[in-house]
Amino acid sequence: MEPFRQNIRTIKGIGEKRAQALNKLGVFSLFDLISFFPRRYEDRSTVKPIALVQDGESVCITAVVADEPRLSHIRRGLDLVRLRAYDDSAEVSITYFNQSYVKNQLHRGQSYRFYGRMEVRGRARSLTNPVFEPEEGAKDRISVTGRIVPVYRLSAGLQQKGLRQSVRYGLDSCRGRIPEVLPLSVREAFGLPEAEEAYKSIHFPEDLSALELARRRFVFEELFVLSCALGARQQTDRAGIVLPKLDFNAFFASLPFSPTAAQRRAIDEAAADLASGRRMSRLLQGDVGSGKTLVAAALVWQCVRAGCRAAFMAPTEILAEQHYRTLSGFLAPLGVRVGLLTGSLRASEKRQVREAMENGTLDLVIGTHALLSDGVRFPGLALAITDEQHRFGVEQRSRFGQAAGTDPDSDLFPHVYVMSATPIPRTLALIIYGDLSLSALDELPPGRQKVDTFSVGSAYHPRLLAFIRKLCNEGRQVFVVCPKVEEEDADAEAAPAAVPEGPALLSAVEYADRLRRELPELRIGCVHGKMKSADKDAVMQQMLSGELDVLVATTVIEVGVDIPNAALMLVENADRFGLSQLHQLRGRVGRGQHKSYCVLVTDSESEDARSRMKIMCETGDGFKIAEEDLRLRGPGDFFGSRQHGLPEMHVADLGTDTETLLKSKEAADRLLAEDPALSLPEHAALRERVLLLTEKMDGTLN
Ligand code: ADP
Ligand code: MG
């Protein structure tokens, strides 16, 4: 039986009940079992003479039992077993609570090894409930003293002892046939121990350095297998529609500004993909305001010039409309016919747009997920672009990419271009979007001003009011963001007249009402998550058209709406937001020619909150902020839910094992270059593991 998939039930020593308990831990196959790594270890390797053990020290002693252990029933529910033991240096009294069975396991005159926490009171030494075993170690058992002992995650019906035993049986049963997934050359290059030894050491390490080596190997291995899995996907490139490369100079000349070097590079990279005959899958990362839309426009231009069609999907109606205006601005003068398809169009309008899509009178359609509705057909579609795709979730992303069958004459899928403003650290992007190529806009358009950022306490409120008044009198607009509170629909009228100063958590609605009282001369609007999207859009429209001076909102405005006239972003209870979120919010201002500000209000004294505010005030670099965010929060939280579809890492930490990640990725790429399908016999084990992981990943993706 192939050891990776062998059912644990068939392992010698593991019965039905034990197998069921292990199943509860997610352990089904022999491979699961030996890969069920300890949660932590207890270093019981030091053995000391009794007299040298300090008070509070946890070590092993080797001692002879001096008398027959005495069992006493103190009361119902309380039994004690007491005994004394000694070595050449001193004596110790030992007590077990409610473990009456030890009375029959410890025998006078025999030598045992005990492990526990020593208590020293003057000359009296004592141990309570120490772990023990015969000095010479018992056959058929795993020594639990005098060594580093693994501690596992447990399930009901399974104790440490049982688990250690099971793992031992597992290791025994695959002795000599643990498949090696890391090629010798890789192991040698990175100084990693071989599989069999590493599995032994990760469970039952001889010493700390063996454990460390084993851990290093498994971190590497995990990332290496992941890199191979993702790399292999990348290679299953399908053929793509050929969109011949253009000279973009004419296009650039038609723009009101000259593209940045970063924009030109991003355009070149994608344009080469489009012309390559292979299907493009590319991610464009660019901080807010870096000018991603222009890059998209250039690619649409290449597509349309080749006689094909393009679609552009945005996460909200407002954004779709904004893109519609911007892209029309860039492309309509060049003769590109641009349409808009959103859910809120009247049925007759929708029908019109769909008809135009079907009969070829539109070259580019911009829309929301309405683009994905059944019955939408877009013959000639060759390029599918999504903006802010992390908001769509993985499923929609793949569905959009597969909107192929739209062209009855072609079985080729459209090229996929994904644009994201979430500045995912490069290393993490490498993994998450391992199946996408990466372009980055690492440069803002010229003349962009830094958004001055300050962190203040809530006592500053009166001064902030004055600042808001001043800006609005100058014709600017202001965003105020409040964190979501549970009772967002709390009756605002019922709020006490004297609104508490301090950092009280006001909902957006309450806050807007308070502002209306404090700044009666200003026009103040409010959007929050509980509103219908049409109502939200209506308020956003008012803000866009300048009918509002101040917009109070929960984070709904995070999503890329461009209001160049907005000059202040005020974030209340800023400590409640993650770094990346704060950065996204700040990106809503400073988009025009006006000097812009971001003020973070918080009274939090916590270390973590302070360091976040400090980073925000010090840097405007989205990538740096994302790295910090990842460091502070860890990768699990980075994306909120596990939307990214990555398998869970067992040993590796995507936040900190960055260097290993890069190395393993390099090694994987080299290997795949030699043996793309991992079909060489020496790569069989690796291939099997990659398959296993791919099955798992596809499981999460669906
Ligand atoms: P993103 O979507 O990456 O946040 P946008 O595409 O909305 O950014 O661009 C932000 C603003 O910068 C827009 O007003 C756009 O017209 C402008 N812009 C884009 N590229 C340039 C450039 N090369 N020079 C000057 N302004 C630019
Ligand atoms: Mg944008």
Side-chain angles (χ1 to χ4, degrees):
M1 180 91 187
E2 202 282 306
F4 277 143
R5 297 185 194 249
Q6 183 181 341
N7 190 316
I8 45 170
R9 183 62 188 84
T10 65
I11 297 170
K12 187 164 156 289
I14 296 187
E16 190 59 44
K17 250 180 85 185
R18 175 72 57 90
Q20 278 171 9
L22 286 166
N23 288 167
K24 280 196 212 134
L25 291 166
V27 173
F28 296 91
S29 66
L30 174 54
F31 175 65
D32 293 338
L33 180 60
I34 63 173
S35 306
F36 191 77
F37 293 165
R39 196 160 49 89
R40 60 185 181 84
Y41 301 84
E42 225 165 73
D43 187 354
R44 302 179 187 169
S45 53
T46 313
V47 184
K48 278 192 175 179
I50 297 173
L52 296 187
V53 182
Q54 316 262 330
D55 183 39
E57 201 178 352
S58 293
V59 286
C60 291
I61 57 167
T62 305
V64 176
V65 172
D67 43 17
E68 276 308 321
R70 283 150 301 151
L71 171 66
S72 33
H73 301 284
I74 305 297
R75 55 176 160 78
R76 239 176 92 98
L78 182 58
D79 288 338
L80 294 186
V81 174
R82 275 186 278 217
L83 60 131
R84 287 175 312 119
Y86 60 90
D87 67 6
D88 292 343
S89 72
E91 198 184 78
V92 61
S93 39
I94 298 177
T95 309
Y96 288 94
F97 286 90
N98 291 337
Q99 299 179 33
S100 43
Y101 57 86
V102 304
K103 181 177 167 18
N104 305 320
Q105 294 178 350
L106 288 165
H107 303 289
R108 179 173 159 193
Q110 295 196 14
S111 184
Y112 299 88
R113 212 149 46 191
F114 296 91
Y115 170 82
R117 191 168 168 278
M118 186 71 80
E119 223 175 273
V120 183
R121 295 283 171 271
R123 299 194 52 208
R125 298 180 161 82
S126 59
L127 287 170
T128 305
N129 295 341
V131 173
F132 69 94
E133 64 192 353
E135 189 196 345
E136 69 276 12
K139 283 248 157 57
D140 198 35
R141 275 186 49 190
I142 300 139
S143 187
V144 289
T145 64
R147 60 173 308 148
I148 298 167
V149 177
V151 180
Y152 296 93
R153 193 157 55 81
L154 295 176
S155 69
L158 201 52
Q159 311 258 296
Q160 288 300 341
K161 193 174 150 194
L163 234 165
R164 285 181 196 129
Q165 231 166 27
S166 307
V167 171
R168 168 59 68 200
Y169 290 141
L171 287 173
D172 286 349
S173 90
C174 54
R175 174 162 304 151
R177 58 181 190 124
I178 291 187
E180 175 60 83
V181 296
L182 292 181
L184 181 62
S185 58
V186 171
R187 277 196 336 262
E188 276 177 356
F190 298 96
L192 303 169
E194 59 176 12
E196 181 125 6
E197 190 188 326
Y199 275 106
K200 246 181 7 216
S201 296
I202 199 100
H203 290 288
F204 305 108
E206 288 293 328
D207 52 39
L208 287 175
S209 71
L211 173 59
E212 182 46 35
L213 261 180
R215 207 198 86 89
R216 258 184 50 201
R217 179 200 149 100
F218 286 115
V219 169
F220 190 97
E221 177 182 314
E222 187 163 44
L223 296 171
F224 181 75
V225 171
L226 181 63
S227 299
C228 285
L230 294 170
R233 281 189 181 198
Q234 224 159 349
Q235 291 181 347
T236 55
D237 289 321
R238 271 168 290 201
I241 303 150
V242 178
L243 305 172
K245 203 156 176 194
L246 288 186
D247 176 4
F248 282 105
N249 282 320
F251 173 74
F252 292 155
S254 76
L255 298 173
F257 38 65
S258 159
T260 63
Q263 283 170 323
R264 287 172 195 267
R265 199 178 338 112
I267 291 169
D268 282 344
E269 286 164 359
D273 288 355
L274 294 179
S276 71
R278 283 185 317 267
R279 182 184 180 209
M280 172 171 78
S281 275
R282 186 173 280 277
L283 170 70
L284 174 66
Q285 282 199 312
D287 210 347
V288 280
S290 57
K292 294 185 288 294
T293 321
L294 170 63
V295 177
L299 302 181
V300 170
W301 176 230
Q302 178 169 351
C303 175
V304 173
R305 281 294 296 272
C308 293
R309 315 270 181 257
F312 187 114
M313 185 162 75
T316 66
E317 303 232 330
I318 289 243
L319 274 177
E321 283 163 23
Q322 178 181 304
H323 282 306
Y324 174 69
R325 280 190 301 272
T326 315
L327 290 168
S328 299
F330 288 140
L331 294 164
L334 298 167
V336 178
R337 298 161 299 175
V338 188
L340 176 68
L341 184 65
T342 62
S344 69
L345 292 182
R346 265 180 272 125
S348 61
E349 294 170 315
K350 272 189 227 166
R351 201 171 46 241
Q352 254 177 8
V353 179
R354 284 184 188 185
E355 272 168 22
M357 287 167 75
E358 278 189 37
N359 63 29
T361 49
L362 284 177
D363 303 306
L364 167 65
V365 175
I366 293 144
T368 53
H369 51 269
L371 283 175
L372 299 176
S373 318
D374 291 336
V376 175
R377 289 176 19 85
F378 199 16
L381 177 66
L383 173 61
I385 302 174
T386 28
D387 188 28
E388 311 276 353
Q389 74 88 29
H390 59 287
R391 312 223 158 239
F392 288 104
V394 180
E395 188 203 349
Q396 269 167 326
R397 167 177 134 198
S398 59
R399 216 176 125 195
F400 190 46
Q402 281 156 20
T406 42
D407 188 349
D409 301 330
S410 167
D411 54 358
L412 295 179
F413 288 95
H415 298 284
V416 173
Y417 199 61
V418 175
M419 308 198 296
S420 172
T422 306
I424 303 156
R426 222 185 152 77
T427 46
L428 196 55
L430 206 65
I431 288 279
I432 293 170
Y433 298 113
D435 54 340
L436 301 189
S437 319
L438 268 183
S439 294
L441 290 182
D442 48 10
E443 174 188 3
L444 292 181
R448 204 53 70 73
Q449 303 185 28
K450 183 172 167 293
V451 177
D452 283 343
T453 304
F454 308 95
S455 170
V456 301
S458 61
Y460 265 68
H461 189 68
R463 270 186 265 183
L464 290 176
L465 289 178
F467 189 42
I468 294 174
R469 192 178 285 128
K470 170 176 172 286
L471 286 172
C472 292
N473 285 341
E474 289 167 5
R476 302 288 79 73
Q477 286 167 291
V478 172
F479 286 119
V480 180
V481 170
C482 301
K484 276 197 194 83
V485 285
E486 293 304 313
E487 298 297 324
E488 225 176 32
D489 47 356
D491 186 1
E493 296 306 309
V499 184
E501 283 287 331
L505 252 191
L506 293 182
S507 70
V509 177
E510 290 166 330
Y511 195 97
D513 276 323
R514 169 185 170 184
L515 267 192
R516 286 187 187 113
R517 286 195 294 274
E518 292 167 330
L519 299 167
E521 74 277 22
L522 298 182
R523 298 160 301 170
I524 296 166
C526 178
V527 284
H528 56 82
K530 293 238 168 109
M531 290 165 72
K532 282 202 222 84
S533 74
D535 296 340
K536 260 190 273 191
D537 282 2
V539 179
M540 291 303 281
Q541 284 301 349
Q542 288 181 313
M543 185 72 177
L544 255 171
S545 61
E547 292 161 54
L548 291 176
D549 300 302
V550 180
L551 181 66
V552 182
T554 49
T555 46
V556 285
I557 57 165
E558 199 184 326
V559 195
V561 179
D562 205 357
I563 301 183
N565 194 40
L568 170 63
M569 168 60 65
L570 179 65
V571 184
E572 287 287 333
N573 294 287
D575 52 285
R576 300 238 164 184
F577 296 92
L579 263 180
S580 290
Q581 231 177 346
L582 289 174
H583 180 67
Q584 290 288 308
L585 288 171
R586 177 167 62 184
R588 297 300 109 220
V589 297
R591 315 199 110 207
Q593 73 271 35
H594 309 292
K595 174 75 205 153
S596 299
Y597 307 88
C598 174
V599 178
L600 308 171
V601 183
T602 172
D603 287 339
S604 171
E605 300 281 321
S606 87
E607 192 62 35
D608 177 53
R610 277 195 200 177
S611 59
R612 267 178 291 157
M613 299 309 131
K614 185 160 172 277
I615 293 161
M616 284 300 294
C617 296
E618 280 171 359
T619 180
D621 179 337
F623 284 90
K624 212 184 268 168
I625 287 172
E627 303 270 3
E628 283 298 320
D629 203 16
L630 185 62
R631 203 175 56 74
L632 290 172
R633 291 201 291 163
D637 288 347
F638 191 79
F639 290 92
S641 62
R642 293 192 51 252
Q643 207 185 46
H644 45 69
L646 269 191
E648 213 172 313
M649 294 288 107
H650 293 291
V651 266
D653 179 336
L654 294 178
T656 53
D657 289 321
T658 309
E659 210 168 299
T660 312
L661 174 57
L662 291 175
K663 282 183 187 154
S664 62
K665 164 106 177 123
E666 259 172 47
D669 288 346
R670 257 197 313 273
L671 189 79
L672 288 171
E674 280 168 33
D675 183 13
L678 298 177
S679 49
L680 294 176
E682 63 264 39
H683 297 151
L686 176 59
R687 193 180 129 85
E688 177 70 18
R689 275 286 293 284
V690 168
L691 273 176
L692 216 58
L693 183 70
T694 312
E695 283 167 23
K696 237 186 223 159
M697 280 199 283
D698 289 342
T700 23
L701 280 175
N702 294 329

